[in-house]
Amino acid sequence: MTDLRIRTARADEAETVLAFWAEAAEGTSITDDVEGVGRLIARDPEALILAESGGRLVGSVIAGWDGWRCSLYRLAVLPAFRRRGIGTALLKAAEARFAAVGGRRGDAMVLEANERARRAWAAAGYRREDHWRRWVKPYAGPAAAR
């Protein structure tokens, strides 16, 4: 795509990003709210990478770096814009970010049932590691520990 622009998200774009994910991404998270997206951008302004075409949000990826691990989430492209290299461009930007901070390996969160996403990640050079499983415990934050 000749008019594709890759950039990081701004703090005032949380609602726009959430609306985009509702249309383009599979699944939801307990952090899918304005506060959660805003907190991500405030904590790590380089993490939420967006793709625009003609001024319209058409893709996203979260490239999280915690000082040790590189984590990838929410790689999504609007259905009408898929198969145009947008996902590849987003991953390239995420991987460049990781290389700049000294990251050694990217870990992608991929829904098991999302066959299309699994094929896309494999095509990008990522492979599934069956010897690991994600363990989660939702909580409400510091108040829940009381």
Side-chain angles (χ1 to χ4, degrees):
M1 294 190 67
T2 58
D3 70 336
L4 188 65
R5 179 177 173 226
I6 304 293
R7 64 171 180 82
T8 55
R10 297 184 312 268
D12 65 345
E13 293 182 297
E15 288 183 11
T16 301
V17 169
L18 289 164
F20 166 78
W21 285 342
E23 186 176 354
E26 295 278 334
T28 58
S29 169
I30 61 171
T31 53
D32 282 0
D33 54 34
V34 171
E35 182 182 339
V37 174
R39 200 171 28 253
L40 168 67
I41 295 168
R43 183 191 173 284
D44 188 352
E46 304 296 314
L48 180 50
I49 302 171
L50 305 178
E52 290 181 335
S53 178
R56 181 179 183 190
L57 178 56
V58 297
S60 74
V61 69
I62 297 174
W65 167 249
D66 65 7
W68 185 1
R69 290 191 175 98
C70 306
S71 300
L72 294 155
Y73 310 91
R74 293 301 173 116
L75 177 62
V77 176
L78 281 177
F81 286 80
R82 291 180 181 156
R83 313 270 321 145
R84 298 184 192 185
I86 296 169
T88 299
L90 286 163
L91 282 179
K92 192 176 199 180
E95 291 167 356
R97 174 176 199 237
F98 294 152
V101 297
R104 298 182 192 173
R105 178 188 74 202
D107 293 331
M109 296 298 298
V110 183
L111 288 172
E112 188 65 26
N114 190 337
E115 184 63 34
R116 180 179 56 242
R118 290 172 40 191
R119 286 191 308 267
W121 284 103
Y126 290 77
R127 63 180 169 77
R128 179 182 167 139
E129 288 191 342
D130 289 329
H131 59 279
W132 297 103
R133 287 289 180 259
R134 181 178 183 201
W135 292 41
V136 299
K137 178 183 178 182
Y139 62 94
R146 292 186 207 146

